[in-house]
């Protein structure tokens, strides 16, 4: 049973609690923020170069906004980072 007050999202025809999806959103956002800072790119610059709003980038980095694979690709292109690097590089 899911915790009281936990919203359910349907993901690939499997009902997952919002808490689980939020965990992955937060991890993706943390990783984008880490790599953006490593490349010395501001949120504003990343947003402008990727054709997005700075507020959207902020929301992604804090795990409050969901991100599509296409949007992730645009962000990684701006940062000149491959998907494999994004997936495997440590936070050191």
């Amino acid at each position: 049973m899911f915790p009281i007050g936990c919203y359910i999202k349907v993901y690939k025809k499997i009902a997952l609690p919002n808490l689980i999806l939020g965990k992955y959103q937060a991890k993706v956002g943390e990783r984008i923020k880490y790599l953006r800072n490593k490349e010395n790119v501001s949120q504003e610059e990343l947003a402008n170069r990727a054709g997005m709003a700075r507020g959207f980038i902020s929301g992604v980095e804090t795990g409050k906004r969901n991100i599509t694979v296409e949007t992730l690709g645009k962000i990684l292109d701006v940062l000149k980072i491959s998907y494999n690097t994004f997936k495997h590089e440590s936070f050191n």
Side-chain angles (χ1 to χ4, degrees):
M1 197 57 144
F2 300 120
I4 294 174
C6 178
Y7 295 97
I8 304 296
K9 287 187 181 180
V10 176
Y11 180 74
K12 292 187 180 182
K13 298 184 181 181
I14 300 171
L16 296 175
N18 201 26
L19 298 173
I20 293 172
L21 291 176
K23 177 177 104 174
Y24 293 111
Q25 282 176 210
K27 284 186 178 198
V28 167
E30 288 171 8
R31 191 147 201 76
I32 290 170
K33 182 177 182 176
Y34 168 79
L35 294 169
R36 178 181 60 77
N37 286 329
K38 185 176 175 188
E39 295 295 319
N40 295 315
V41 175
S42 69
Q43 284 183 345
E44 188 74 34
E45 183 181 355
L46 175 58
N48 288 338
R49 291 173 49 198
M52 300 170 196
R54 192 208 57 80
F56 177 77
I57 298 294
S58 175
V60 168
E61 289 184 353
T62 58
K64 294 177 182 171
R65 296 292 306 259
N66 204 351
I67 187 170
T68 65
V69 173
E70 184 175 344
T71 301
L72 176 61
K74 289 178 183 178
I75 290 170
L76 295 179
D77 285 348
V78 169
L79 297 175
K80 298 180 180 118
I81 295 169
S82 72
Y83 178 72
N84 283 336
T85 300
F86 176 77
K87 204 166 76 168
H88 297 294
E89 186 174 309
S90 69
F91 282 91
N92 298 338

